[in-house]
Amino acid sequence: MSFKVGIVGLPNVGKSTLFKAITKKQVDIQNYPFCTIDPNVGVVEVPDERLEKLSSISCSEKTVHTTIEFVDIAGLIADAHQGKGLGNKFLSNIREVDAIVEVLRDFQDNDVFHVDGEVNFKKDRETVNIELIASDLQLVEKAINRLRKEVRTGDKEVKLKVETLEKAKTFLEQENLLYDLSLEDKEKEAIKEFNFLTFKPIIYVKNVDKSEVAEEDGYLLMNAKIEAELADLSQEEAESYLASFGIKESGLSKMIKESYRSLNLISFFTSGKEESRSWTVEEGSPAPVAGGRIHSDFQEKFIRAEVVAYNDFVQCKGWSGAKQSGKAQDKGKDYIVKDGDVMLFKI
């Protein structure tokens, strides 16, 4: 299952430095706005310590993590929705992602130009979000005007769509993100096609000075320069380097995991001698859908699945022990996959 996370923010807040750290991919990082015109794309593994343990237990020849795609999108500025800067191009790039990481500058550096002339992360967050809201509002208004004639035909689906769009319009006009709008499932489905920017989950990342990396409600705090330096170190060296700053886990690892969670995704595993692998599925998915992530036949020709909870698999030291102790259970088409399930599909 492929999914994309877009990295956005004002120019010169550290997006491209962060992207380099995430993907270990060299991108053009210069001290001026709009350096990144076309989005850079990189695919990285979703860290999951459980997979390494499974691979060790099963003596797997390969260990394959699930992946997440990050898109480095050039900086937005005020009035981007009206085309200022390269705004319309950038906004269209954001519309193509599944979730948004919004990078906010909260570090002082006189050598790095700030597009507004001052460092104020709260103001920057407001600027970016207003642009996303304004872009969605334009789209809502166009959609309502186009659909009003169709409402007269009495089509119930069109009527629901317009009514939901009207709700969205009112909410956006109050400068709210649609992600916070309470809608029924049928209403969400009715306007899904419009792919609104502010319907996407947003993860706020504050790019801070080295001495300030800590926990803060509503924000992930990290220092992009530290993260970029970590990208060139071995695992052991990186852990030692983080420890010198009193940091237990890299900001990137937290951000990747949070991006994964924000999309309401969970991991299940397959594990054997050939390979141990993590797979992505939406929370609440039944077993055949999970099987379909591996191969379409696993969904279409699904008979049953053997399932062992991760902790049980570890405690029983693999499939053989899990079966002997009764921890491996046969599950049918109605079984809802849980995070950490180790699964073997029968077709």
Side-chain angles (χ1 to χ4, degrees), residues 166-184:
E166 292 282 5
K167 283 186 183 181
K169 180 175 181 290
T170 300
F171 203 67
L172 289 166
E173 287 173 339
Q174 296 169 351
E175 298 187 351
N176 295 311
L177 304 174
L178 291 178
Y179 188 77
D180 297 321
L181 177 60
S182 179
L183 293 175
E184 296 180 9

Side-chain angles (χ1 to χ4, degrees), residues 68-226:
I68 183 170
E69 188 172 311
F70 281 94
V71 183
D72 178 27
I73 299 169
L76 289 167
I77 59 173
D79 297 324
H81 69 284
Q82 296 178 350
K84 190 171 181 181
L86 297 174
N88 289 326
K89 180 179 177 64
F90 302 161
L91 287 166
S92 68
N93 288 330
I94 300 171
R95 205 171 293 283
E96 295 172 3
V97 304
D98 301 299
I100 296 171
V101 166
E102 191 171 311
V103 182
L104 305 167
R105 176 177 171 178
D106 197 27
F107 65 88
Q108 299 292 334
D109 189 336
N110 293 332
D111 293 329
V112 179
F113 169 78
H114 190 287
V115 70
D116 287 336
E118 64 171 343
V119 175
N120 185 330
F121 78 90
K122 290 183 179 178
K123 182 180 177 182
D124 291 354
R125 172 174 168 166
E126 181 180 339
T127 298
V128 174
N129 285 355
I130 287 297
E131 291 309 310
L132 301 182
I133 289 168
S135 180
D136 277 354
L137 191 54
Q138 288 180 343
L139 185 57
V140 164
E141 290 170 344
K142 288 179 182 177
I144 291 173
N145 291 334
R146 177 171 57 83
L147 291 169
R148 271 184 178 144
K149 293 180 181 178
E150 295 184 37
V151 173
R152 297 170 189 166
T153 66
D155 188 311
K156 292 182 179 180
E157 290 186 6
V158 175
K159 183 173 182 292
L160 175 62
K161 189 174 293 187
V162 172
E163 288 174 350
T164 308
L165 287 170
E166 292 282 5
K167 283 186 183 181
K169 180 175 181 290
T170 300
F171 203 67
L172 289 166
E173 287 173 339
Q174 296 169 351
E175 298 187 351
N176 295 311
L177 304 174
L178 291 178
Y179 188 77
D180 297 321
L181 177 60
S182 179
L183 293 175
E184 296 180 9
D185 289 343
K186 63 180 181 180
E187 292 176 314
K188 291 178 182 178
E189 189 63 31
I191 61 173
K192 184 179 180 180
E193 66 183 270
F194 299 104
N195 200 19
F196 291 118
L197 297 175
T198 63
F199 244 147
K200 304 177 189 295
I202 299 179
I203 301 158
Y204 296 100
V205 173
K206 282 174 64 176
N207 187 9
V208 300
D209 291 316
K210 286 186 179 181
S211 60
E212 298 175 352
V213 179
E215 298 297 326
E216 184 174 328
D217 288 344
Y219 296 91
L220 286 178
L221 273 61
M222 66 176 70
N223 180 285
K225 289 184 177 180
I226 289 179

Side-chain angles (χ1 to χ4, degrees), residues 13-31:
V13 297
K15 298 185 311 301
S16 293
T17 302
L18 186 58
F19 178 80
K20 177 192 171 187
I22 291 171
T23 60
K24 300 186 180 180
K25 177 180 177 181
Q26 183 66 46
V27 294
D28 193 8
I29 304 171
Q30 299 292 337
N31 181 27

Side-chain angles (χ1 to χ4, degrees), residues 286-289 299-304 331-336:
V289 171
Q299 182 168 357
E300 295 166 5
K301 301 177 182 180
F302 179 91
I303 296 175
R304 61 186 174 86
K331 299 294 183 180
K333 293 181 178 180
D334 295 333
Y335 176 70
I336 302 301

Side-chain angles (χ1 to χ4, degrees), residues 250-285:
S250 75
L252 290 177
S253 179
K254 292 179 183 178
M255 190 184 78
I256 293 169
K257 290 178 180 178
E258 185 59 31
S259 299
Y260 194 68
R261 284 193 293 267
S262 73
L263 290 167
N264 201 32
L265 301 172
I266 62 172
S267 292
F268 70 93
F269 305 101
T270 53
S271 186
K273 187 170 180 57
E274 185 176 332
E275 73 170 24
S276 285
R277 183 166 184 158
S278 58
W279 303 88
T280 300
V281 70
E282 291 184 6
E283 188 173 5
S285 295

